[in-house]
Amino acid sequence: MSHAPQHVYAIYIRCSPEQLWAGITDGSITERYFHDTRIESTWELGAPVRFHYANGTGPEGGGVAVEGEVLACDPPRRLSISWKVLYDPEAAEEPPSRVTWEIEQIGDSCRLSLLHDQFDGETSTYHGVQEGWLQLLSSLKTLLETGEPLSIAG
Amino acid sequence: METVFRALGDANRRLLLDQLFQRDGQTLSELQQHFAMTRFGVMKHLKILEAANLVLTRRVGREKYHYLNPVPIQEIQERWIGKFAQPWVSALTGLKSSLEAAAMTEREMSEKPRHVYEVYICCTPQALWEAFIDPQQSGRYIGGGIVSDFAVGSAWTMPAPAPAAAELPEGNYVTGEILEIEPPHRLVFSWDEREPSMIDDPTSRVTWEIEQIGEICKLTLTHDGFEAENETFRSVGGGWPRVLSSLKSLLETGQPLPLES
C-alpha cells in the first residue's frame, strides 16, 4: 500500500469555533505561537496569504516566511490555503503544497483537524513541517485555554 | 559509483555512517545529537547518502529510521580487490541477497498498522507521570482510569462506570499487563479490549514516552502490535487524540475536556 505523502493531525481545544478561527486567521494571535509570524490576508478566494515576520525580517533575511493563496474559506469551519515555503532555501524551490484547517464544535470544545497534503513526493517541505505542526497545534491549544503559548525552544 | 564517491567525500557524511555503523536504525533527531549542525543540515547530508544508496530508510508512523547499507562500498571493493580475493565475491552475493530479504521484512513491518501521537504539555515529567499512574487523575481523561500497582508483570484494568459495567466482562472496558516501567520516562502495557465488538481482537500494545524539553514535556504515544486494521485499531484511533488533548488540558488548566466518550 503506498499513500501520497501527507500529514494529518487532530487536537481538541476548549474554546468556541470563533475563537479557534481567530487563532488561525488573526495575525495578532498567530504571532504569539506561530514562529513569531503574523498571518495576513483579505480571505477572499484566490487572495494572497502571507506569514510576515513580526519583527520585520526572519533569520534568512526575508520578510515573509510562507506565502500562498486562499483556496477555500468558510468561517468558522474550514480554511484551505496553498503553502509555499520561503523560510528555507531548499524547500523554497519546491512547488506549493496545501494546508487545510477544519473546525468541528463538540459541546463547549472544538476538534481541530489539520491536513497538510499535495506534496510533490517526500519533499524537504514534507519532512520539515512534520514536527513543526505538532508543536504549533500544542501551543495553539495552550494559548487558547490558558492565555499563554508554550515556550518551545527552537 | 560516482555518487558513492561524492557521498563519501565529506567528513560529516562519513561520521553519519559511523553513527549508523555503531547503532543501525536511528531517527533524524537521534543522529542530530552527534552533530553541531542544524536538523536541516543533517537532513541534507542524509539525503545525499540516501541518493548514493549508502543509507536506506524505513518509515513507521511519523518516524523515519536510517540504516547503513554497505553494498555500494562492497561493490567498489569487488571491482578492484575481488580479483585477488575470489572467495569474497560469493560471500558478497550472499550478503546482498540477505540485505534484500531484510529490506523486505522491514517493508512488511512498516505496513503493519500503528498509531503514533505526539503532544507538548507545559508540565514537569513527574507531573505527567503522576497523571498516568494515579487513577484519580487518569479517570478524568481516559475512560474509567488506569488501575494497577504498576509493577512489571502486573495486570491493569480500565473499569467502566455502573451502567456500562454490567455489559462487560468483570466490568472493564480494557485490561492488560504492565510490560515495562521506567519512571518518569517510559511505560509500556498490553491492551485487550473487553467490549463485545472487540473482545476477539488480538492483544495490542501501548507505549507512553516522556521527553523533557526545557520547561515543557513532549509526550509520544505509540499504539502498535496490530496485525491488521481491526475494530480496536479504528476505535482507539478516534479515542487517543481526545484522551491526549484532555490530558493536556488537565495538566495545564486543572480541568480535563468534558467530552462524551
Side-chain angles (χ1 to χ4, degrees):
Chain A
M1 277 202 310
S2 80
H3 300 283
Q6 62 174 34
H7 299 301
V8 185
Y9 308 94
I11 193 163
Y12 292 77
I13 305 179
R14 185 189 282 118
C15 65
S16 67
E18 290 75 18
Q19 286 169 318
L20 186 45
W21 184 263
I24 297 162
T25 58
D26 180 337
S28 68
I29 302 177
T30 63
E31 74 175 304
R32 299 192 63 197
Y33 77 92
F34 212 111
H35 301 311
D36 301 316
T37 62
R38 298 173 62 92
I39 195 169
E40 280 174 25
S41 177
T42 61
W43 305 114
E44 288 151 359
L45 216 57
V49 182
R50 293 194 181 90
F51 288 81
H52 294 271
Y53 287 107
N55 54 4
T57 53
E60 78 294 341
V64 176
V66 173
E67 68 178 10
E69 65 177 71
V70 178
L71 303 175
C73 183
D74 175 18
R77 284 186 287 274
R78 187 164 183 272
L79 176 67
S80 187
I81 66 171
S82 60
W83 187 269
K84 171 93 182 153
V85 168
L86 301 179
Y87 61 80
D88 177 282
E90 185 175 334
E93 289 176 12
E94 295 167 357
S97 49
R98 180 176 70 176
V99 177
T100 304
W101 292 260
E102 281 184 310
I103 298 171
E104 183 194 344
Q105 186 168 17
I106 298 173
D108 71 351
S109 301
C110 287
R111 176 188 158 97
L112 171 62
S113 314
L114 188 145
L115 170 67
H116 196 156
D117 66 352
Q118 294 192 350
F119 295 100
D120 185 22
E122 293 200 3
T123 57
S124 172
T125 305
Y126 171 79
H127 293 295
V129 301
Q130 176 178 319
E131 191 72 16
W133 281 123
L134 290 163
Q135 296 179 357
L136 289 172
L137 293 173
S138 285
S139 192
L140 171 61
K141 175 173 162 75
T142 303
L143 176 60
L144 290 172
E145 292 185 359
T146 71
E148 292 297 326
L150 285 180
S151 55
I152 298 176
Chain B
M1 201 165 269
E2 208 177 313
T3 55
V4 177
F5 282 114
R6 208 176 308 127
L8 292 170
D10 176 278
N12 279 318
R13 290 197 284 273
R14 292 194 296 272
L15 283 172
L16 275 167
L17 294 179
D18 288 340
Q19 289 300 333
L20 293 176
F21 182 70
Q22 276 180 20
R23 189 164 69 83
D24 225 4
Q26 298 192 56
T27 63
L28 175 60
S29 306
E30 288 170 321
L31 287 166
Q32 193 195 340
Q33 292 167 6
H34 308 292
F35 294 88
M37 229 191 299
T38 62
R39 184 179 175 85
F40 184 71
V42 176
M43 198 194 290
K44 271 211 301 219
H45 285 304
L46 281 171
K47 273 193 187 153
I48 293 168
L49 290 169
E50 243 184 279
N53 203 27
L54 288 163
V55 165
L56 301 174
T57 64
R58 171 165 78 93
R59 183 164 284 281
V60 177
R62 299 201 184 285
E63 294 289 1
K64 187 176 181 185
Y65 299 91
H66 299 83
Y67 298 85
L68 174 62
N69 181 20
V71 169
I73 299 168
Q74 273 157 348
E75 282 171 349
I76 292 169
Q77 183 180 5
E78 184 188 16
R79 178 163 166 178
W80 289 290
I81 303 171
K83 185 178 156 191
F84 307 104
Q86 280 302 323
W88 289 16
V89 179
S90 56
L92 171 68
T93 318
L95 176 67
K96 194 170 179 179
S97 54
S98 73
L99 272 173
E100 277 161 6
M104 253 161 66
T105 318
E106 281 163 10
R107 204 170 310 130
E108 279 162 20
M109 272 177 63
S110 71
E111 283 178 7
K112 292 262 172 72
R114 65 186 235 164
H115 297 294
V116 182
Y117 305 95
E118 288 172 30
V119 67
Y120 292 81
I121 305 178
C122 187
C123 65
T124 62
Q126 288 73 22
L128 188 45
W129 187 261
E130 277 300 310
F132 297 163
I133 64 164
D134 174 4
Q136 298 295 329
Q137 288 189 63
S138 61
R140 300 183 69 190
Y141 64 86
I142 184 168
I146 297 173
V147 181
S148 176
D149 66 7
F150 292 100
V152 172
S154 286
W156 72 273
T157 60
M158 188 192 293
E167 321 253 308
L168 293 161
E170 290 159 27
N172 293 315
Y173 282 129
V174 188
T175 58
E177 183 187 329
I178 305 296
L179 301 174
E180 286 176 47
I181 186 155
E182 190 194 317
H185 300 296
R186 187 177 155 86
L187 177 62
V188 186
F189 48 94
S190 64
W191 184 276
D192 284 300
E193 289 280 354
R194 309 302 288 165
E195 293 193 51
S197 62
M198 295 180 267
I199 197 161
D200 293 331
D201 287 348
T203 303
S204 54
R205 183 179 64 175
V206 175
T207 303
W208 302 82
E209 285 169 302
I210 300 173
E211 183 191 344
Q212 188 170 18
I213 303 171
E215 62 190 50
I216 62 178
C217 284
K218 176 178 172 178
L219 168 62
T220 304
L221 185 146
T222 306
H223 197 149
D224 62 4
F226 296 101
E227 287 299 317
E229 294 194 10
N230 57 24
E231 185 59 29
T232 302
F233 178 81
R234 284 187 288 274
S235 166
V236 300
W240 282 125
R242 267 183 204 200
V243 166
L244 296 179
S245 293
S246 192
L247 167 62
K248 177 171 159 71
S249 293
L250 176 64
L251 286 164
E252 293 183 352
T253 70
Q255 290 299 320
L257 293 180
L259 298 167
E260 71 278 21
S261 57

